[in-house]
Amino acid sequence: MSKVLVILLQTLIVFQIIMTLFTALEVVNLDTFDQMFEIALLVGTIFTWLAIVSFIVSLIWLYKVHKDLREGNHNYPISPGGSVIHNIIPIYNIYGAWKVFRTIGNYFQEKGHQIAEYGRKVNSSILYIYLLIFVAIVLSAITLGNIDFETLEELPRADWTVLANDIIMVIMLILSLALTKAVFKGLYQLLQLKREIPKDTL
């Protein structure tokens, strides 16, 4: 499941980069962008469906990760079902996702050696993701503040704030990929201490 999620995230990164290039084209040359609008719309639609599938897969992945964590330590503080609930309840999941991944990162760090290094990667990745979310919210507020909704007759042209948000999205996806790999490899190392796992499967 980790490998499936990694492939999905890598695909999302590619599509987000393409979408970012389209946004840049819209900012610098609207006429050329209009000629390619249908392609941009198709790319955006595929990205949306991939994002939905990736979210569902990520919930299954989280469940399995926490099932393995509980298998290795019955006292692990978050249950498999709890990890999913923390990430699907609106508003609460802002805190819930942070708690889930910080708990994993801290747990890995307590184990020392190479596992601790993966724990540090988990914690740093989730921290940077949240910082970028904050920046994206600010940029979105600036974008909305520049729109006159009373006189708006068509969708506004993308500006530098929209382009900046797209770039931030690319970085967030890259960090999400790094986070996923760190959790997978840290858990793998942790389970190696409990049972024999062939090293060439990493």
Side-chain angles (χ1 to χ4, degrees):
M1 188 59 66
S2 292
K3 292 180 179 179
V4 172
L5 184 56
V6 164
I7 292 171
L8 285 169
L9 287 171
Q10 290 171 336
T11 307
L12 281 173
I13 290 170
V14 172
F15 273 86
Q16 183 60 52
I17 290 173
I18 296 172
M19 290 168 60
T20 302
L21 293 175
F22 276 123
T23 301
L25 182 61
E26 184 179 4
V27 171
V28 300
N29 194 327
L30 185 59
D31 291 335
T32 304
F33 172 79
D34 286 340
Q35 296 173 9
M36 305 181 69
F37 177 75
E38 295 297 329
I39 299 175
L41 185 61
L42 176 61
V43 171
T45 301
I46 295 173
F47 176 87
T48 299
W49 283 106
L50 279 172
I52 292 171
V53 172
S54 298
F55 179 68
I56 294 171
V57 170
S58 70
L59 293 178
I60 299 171
W61 172 75
L62 270 178
Y63 183 91
K64 289 180 175 293
V65 164
H66 284 78
K67 185 177 179 181
D68 285 338
L69 286 169
R70 273 287 175 93
E71 179 183 306
N73 181 1
H74 296 297
N75 295 320
Y76 187 79
I78 301 177
S79 67
S83 68
V84 174
I85 292 173
H86 276 67
N87 282 269
I88 62 174
I89 299 177
I91 307 300
Y92 175 76
N93 59 5
I94 298 173
Y95 163 75
W98 172 268
K99 179 180 179 181
V100 166
F101 288 107
R102 288 290 292 188
T103 302
I104 293 173
N106 292 338
Y107 183 69
F108 284 173
Q109 285 189 272
E110 291 172 0
K111 300 302 175 182
H113 305 295
Q114 189 174 1
I115 299 174
E117 179 60 28
Y118 291 127
R120 285 188 286 271
K121 289 181 179 179
V122 170
N123 283 340
S124 61
S125 294
I126 195 65
L127 174 61
Y128 291 134
I129 287 171
Y130 268 71
L131 289 175
L132 288 173
I133 289 174
F134 174 76
V135 175
I137 291 172
V138 172
L139 288 172
S140 296
I142 295 173
T143 301
L144 292 174
N146 291 332
I147 298 174
D148 185 350
F149 290 97
E150 292 183 1
T151 60
L152 187 63
E153 296 180 355
E154 58 184 15
L155 289 175
R157 177 180 175 180
D159 61 10
W160 70 270
T161 58
V162 179
L163 178 59
N165 257 336
D166 277 2
I167 295 172
I168 286 173
M169 187 64 182
V170 172
I171 299 172
M172 285 175 59
L173 285 170
I174 292 172
L175 286 171
S176 297
L177 178 61
L179 175 66
T180 301
K181 288 183 175 181
V183 172
F184 167 52
K185 292 180 179 181
L187 180 60
Y188 182 92
Q189 295 291 333
L190 188 62
L191 294 179
Q192 264 197 325
L193 300 177
K194 303 291 182 181
R195 58 178 185 263
E196 287 292 325
I197 301 177
K199 290 189 177 181
D200 59 358
T201 60
L202 261 181

